[in-house]
Amino acid sequence: MSRNYWLLMLYVGLLSLTLISHEANSADSTEQINNDSCMKCHKRNGSMQGNHAQDRLKMSCSSCHGEKGNHPRKPNDLMVFSSENDITIDAKNGVCLKCHTVKKLAKTEWTHNVHAQKTSCTSCHKLHPKSDPMMGLSVKDRSNVCRNCHTVQR
């Protein structure tokens, strides 16, 4: 058999091992963040899943929500990504921009540039579930999501 055939087989084998390894890491990737001390009380809110829960990212609840400080006593400085508080859009998006650069976001989807100062990332993206509802949407379905905020005035 030719040398190219063996190189191809070696490449396919390495690729397969890489994919299997990635799947194995993904399967138990929530262990670190879901053993965070915050989860002792916040289990009722569900576990952290999806991309942001991967152990290799070394994230904890405080990576996005901030340090515990006086919590659970009031007042506290924890970041809450809800529309029902007075935390500014810039502050909320600033948390996401610690890891996600504006340049990469712009390349991923043009709407990131348009909305960056007008709405928080969490208006569209949900980070705790296994998968972000925005990821994998067709262009048509994404347009339907946009209609939740943008309505045609007649």
Side-chain angles (χ1 to χ4, degrees), residues 35-51:
N35 286 325
D36 189 282
S37 63
C38 301
M39 293 305 286
K40 289 176 186 168
C41 296
H42 291 279
K43 279 183 188 171
R44 68 182 179 277
N45 297 337
S47 60
M48 177 68 172
Q49 301 177 50
N51 288 333

Side-chain angles (χ1 to χ4, degrees), residues 103-117:
K103 189 174 182 177
K104 284 184 181 179
L105 290 172
K107 284 182 182 179
T108 304
E109 173 71 35
W110 67 271
T111 56
H112 288 128
N113 284 344
V114 175
H115 295 98
Q117 304 298 316

Side-chain angles (χ1 to χ4, degrees), residues 74-91:
K74 306 279 182 200
N76 63 64
D77 295 331
L78 290 177
M79 175 61 70
V80 179
F81 297 93
S82 168
S83 59
E84 299 168 8
N85 59 41
D86 59 354
I87 299 173
T88 67
I89 291 169
D90 286 340

